[in-house]
Amino acid sequence: MPFNAIDTVWLMTCTALVLLMTPGLALFYGGMVRSKSVLNMMMMSFSTIGVVTIIWVAYGYSLAFGPDSGLGIIGDFSDLGLDKALGSTIGAAGHEVPTLAFVFFQLTFAIVTTALLSGAVADRIRFTAWLALVAAWVTFIYIPLAHMAFSAEGGTGGLFIDRLGVLDFAGGTAVEINSGASALALAIVIGKRIGFKKDPMRPHNVPLVLLGAGLLWFGWFGFNAGSALAATGVAVVALINTQIAAAVAALSWIAVEWKRDGRPTTLGVASGAIAGAVAITPSCGYVTPLGALVIGAVAGAVCAWAIGLKYRFGYDDSLDVVGVHGVGGVVGMLGIGLLASTRANDAISNGLLMGGGVDLLLRQSLAIVITAAFAFCGTWLIATVIDKLIGLRLDPEAEITGADTVEHAESAYDFAGVVGAGLGSGSQHSSSYSQRNN
Amino acid sequence: MKLITAIVKPFKLDDVKAALESQGIHGMTVSEASGYGRQRGHTEVYRGAEYTVDLVPKVRIEVLVDDADTDTVLDAIVAVAQTGRIGDGKVWVMPVEQVIRVRTGERGSSAL
């Protein structure tokens, strides 16, 4: 079947960019935990790539993007194993791409969204429980929300995109608010880390965090501009808006720190860039560059404040999935209701502050509430069931020892040498070694 | 013979080395150390959460000297390591029963 080669090239490129976000997230999160669980933290991201890919091929894509089953909440089982996707095309007239390009692009979204949850359960989830959680969560929470937000079928598809007239360009609902609300439920069900609010839990490697943030920022161009699904003018608007919001939010986050804590921090500048990218995710294709500037500035400041809520309310959302993705997503979704502009995208109507009515803002708010309620309740249920069936959490001794050695029999760094890697580094036999591959 | 152990601020290491060399001391052991005294530690803030870091990085310098040289060496170290601000460190002296140069087997003062 004929397809548009330029759009296809763009979508393939963006797919690779978005997949890179998950290893980027592994670095971003890995640097923030203590050195005894950095590998476990990164393992959660990498294992998610495997589990979600298998599910996406087997039934995930079909359930998320197959023909709507009636209420705009879920697709169907008509394309198990991607049999129909193979050899077909998808997309707006003139912008068709091979369906498999769209399948893979959406797969990378499912992967990185699921991997985000690891930030809420850092240092203390059993690895088997994590794998079970990934499989259940992507099936029962991500797939329905992806259907609602992204599955357009000309008015009879997903609840948000086709039936409620919600604007969500790249996943403020299905990706950001979803992961934030789910992270809150997970943090509550699994409980606080031993020593939360008492022991120092300093990030063990802030340069890793910055490297991860850089990769996320880079990958986000594919995430947002790729969501145009074609190499169009709107894709370019989304691209530059992503840059603007991330850059401004990095500064507004450290401005808050400077005033509140006395110093601007590198962890803050990295966190701010991510918060800005989160907030512009739903809004990137709908606002002007100046609108993106405003959304980024607000997101950086609001999220810098929101990450303090966990101490006030006593939930251990260890790496601030709620404060950055949940709150940032809300900022972006409401930002559309206020700042959406027909000058950025002529397929939509203006937001409240751009001369439009309050109608769009109300629809955006409704989508926020539905997403947060569905994600929170569903994830709470899934986490509770997994906890009852196989146990969610490491035992205290294992948690204190560290998930790296307990769950993976590895350690990230060799600190054994007295002077650098000096003592005994020339000898294979300085520590006992035996072959175990027989 | 005495063992002089000096805990000083890391940026003073070069000054102390120079001072010791000018006193005719041509060997020493240097290691990175961390600890705290009256200076206590410092605070670090990560995403708004404040952590108190008790241990402050210092340098530990150890030199073996003849009894007769002890006071001049001590004076030399303190003179250059001093900034007058809290956290300058400490120096202490312990008696040493025996010193042996591994290469030659020399003992006592001639091994210094």
Side-chain angles (χ1 to χ4, degrees):
Chain A
M1 273 186 264
F3 56 86
N4 184 315
I6 292 171
D7 292 332
T8 305
V9 166
W10 175 235
L11 200 56
M12 288 195 292
T13 306
C14 289
T15 301
L17 281 169
V18 181
L19 187 66
L20 187 63
M21 292 175 76
T22 300
L25 185 75
L27 290 164
F28 185 66
Y29 279 174
M32 265 189 263
V33 297
R34 291 165 288 177
S35 57
K36 64 183 179 181
S37 51
V38 48
L39 295 177
N40 175 252
M41 198 71 233
M42 302 179 93
M43 185 70 152
M44 285 199 263
S45 281
F46 275 84
S47 61
T48 302
I49 298 178
V51 175
V52 175
T53 298
I54 293 168
I55 288 176
W56 206 247
V57 172
Y59 62 85
Y61 174 75
S62 182
L63 263 186
F65 291 97
D68 187 81
S69 293
L71 294 168
I73 292 168
I74 195 85
D76 66 6
F77 290 108
S78 62
D79 195 11
L80 299 182
L82 303 179
D83 209 46
K84 279 202 219 159
L86 189 64
S88 66
T89 61
I90 192 170
H95 292 292
E96 295 90 350
V97 298
T99 307
L100 285 179
F102 179 71
V103 170
F104 188 8
F105 182 67
Q106 288 296 340
L107 165 60
T108 60
F109 277 52
I111 292 169
V112 73
T113 306
T114 310
L116 281 171
L117 301 180
S118 61
V121 295
D123 301 348
R124 60 199 189 283
I125 193 169
R126 293 175 61 237
F127 188 60
T128 31
W130 168 255
L131 294 177
L133 176 72
V134 166
W137 190 85
V138 81
T139 302
F140 296 111
I141 309 297
Y142 181 77
I143 285 173
L145 279 167
H147 182 80
M148 292 186 227
F150 299 138
S151 187
E153 295 167 42
T156 60
L159 184 66
F160 297 158
I161 191 168
D162 265 8
R163 298 170 196 242
L164 294 180
V166 173
L167 295 182
D168 181 359
F169 199 79
T173 52
V175 175
E176 309 298 353
I177 296 170
N178 180 14
S179 59
S182 298
L184 181 59
L186 275 176
I188 291 170
V189 174
I190 198 170
K192 299 166 208 171
R193 284 169 294 177
I194 296 170
F196 178 64
K197 288 214 282 190
K198 289 201 292 284
D199 298 346
M201 296 183 179
R202 280 193 293 166
H204 89 285
N205 190 333
V206 178
L208 279 192
V209 177
L210 287 157
L211 178 58
L215 288 174
L216 284 167
W217 192 332
F218 179 68
W220 229 299
F221 294 129
F223 199 97
N224 285 355
S227 288
L229 303 176
T232 58
V234 172
V236 176
V237 170
L239 185 74
I240 190 169
N241 280 350
T242 304
Q243 167 65 11
I244 294 168
V248 176
L251 290 185
S252 69
W253 183 300
I254 59 170
V256 169
E257 286 187 331
W258 217 327
K259 178 119 178 46
R260 184 186 60 195
D261 310 325
R263 295 278 203 292
T265 69
T266 48
L267 184 59
V269 90
S271 309
I274 301 306
V278 165
I280 206 66
T281 290
S283 50
C284 58
Y286 303 126
V287 298
T288 61
L290 276 179
L293 204 74
V294 173
I295 286 174
V298 171
V302 169
C303 292
W305 164 81
I307 53 156
L309 294 175
K310 65 179 179 183
Y311 298 109
R312 196 175 314 164
F313 294 106
Y315 60 91
D316 184 7
D317 169 26
S318 313
L319 308 183
D320 301 307
V321 191
V322 182
V324 175
H325 295 272
V327 173
V330 169
V331 169
M333 286 296 288
L334 295 179
I336 296 169
L338 296 172
L339 296 169
S341 166
T342 53
R343 292 189 55 222
N345 188 330
D346 58 18
I348 61 166
S349 54
N350 280 324
L352 185 60
L353 299 180
M354 307 303 281
V358 75
D359 183 52
L360 180 59
L361 187 61
L362 293 177
R363 278 181 275 141
Q364 297 297 106
S365 307
L366 180 62
I368 293 170
V369 172
I370 293 172
T371 305
F374 178 79
F376 181 87
C377 297
T379 306
W380 191 87
L381 198 65
I382 289 170
T384 306
V385 168
I386 291 175
D387 194 32
K388 293 276 182 287
L389 288 180
I390 62 172
L392 210 49
R393 191 162 175 158
L394 288 170
D395 66 56
E397 186 184 340
E399 184 181 334
I400 290 167
T401 306
D404 288 2
T405 51
V406 172
E407 293 289 81
H408 311 296
E410 292 177 293
S411 42
Y413 308 100
D414 180 7
F415 291 133
V418 172
V419 182
L423 280 189
S425 63
S427 164
Q428 276 251 331
H429 304 288
S430 59
S431 59
S432 97
Y433 166 82
S434 62
Q435 197 95 20
R436 286 193 58 184
N437 59 357
N438 46 350
Chain B
M1 293 164 293
K2 304 283 191 214
L3 170 67
I4 297 176
T5 304
I7 308 287
V8 300
K9 288 185 168 170
F11 82 100
K12 284 293 188 182
L13 174 61
D14 284 343
D15 292 348
V16 174
K17 265 164 63 184
L20 287 170
E21 274 172 27
S22 73
Q23 294 292 320
I25 308 285
H26 295 297
M28 68 188 74
T29 304
V30 178
S31 44
E32 290 178 24
S34 52
Y36 63 88
R38 288 189 191 167
Q39 184 188 8
R40 301 300 303 189
H42 62 281
T43 57
E44 296 181 1
V45 182
Y46 295 96
R47 282 191 171 169
E50 197 171 284
Y51 298 109
T52 304
V53 180
D54 280 334
L55 303 177
V56 183
K58 297 285 170 192
V59 165
R60 176 172 54 220
I61 302 162
E62 289 161 307
V63 279
L64 291 161
V65 296
D66 245 337
D67 290 348
D69 297 335
T70 308
D71 282 331
T72 51
V73 170
L74 284 175
D75 290 344
I77 294 173
V78 172
V80 296
Q82 199 170 61
T83 68
R85 288 188 296 276
I86 198 162
D88 272 355
K90 265 190 184 49
V91 186
W92 60 85
V93 183
M94 289 188 295
V96 173
E97 285 196 10
Q98 184 62 283
V99 178
I100 307 172
R101 175 170 284 120
V102 174
R103 174 171 57 85
T104 60
E106 289 164 276
R107 292 177 174 241
S109 295
S110 56
L112 289 176

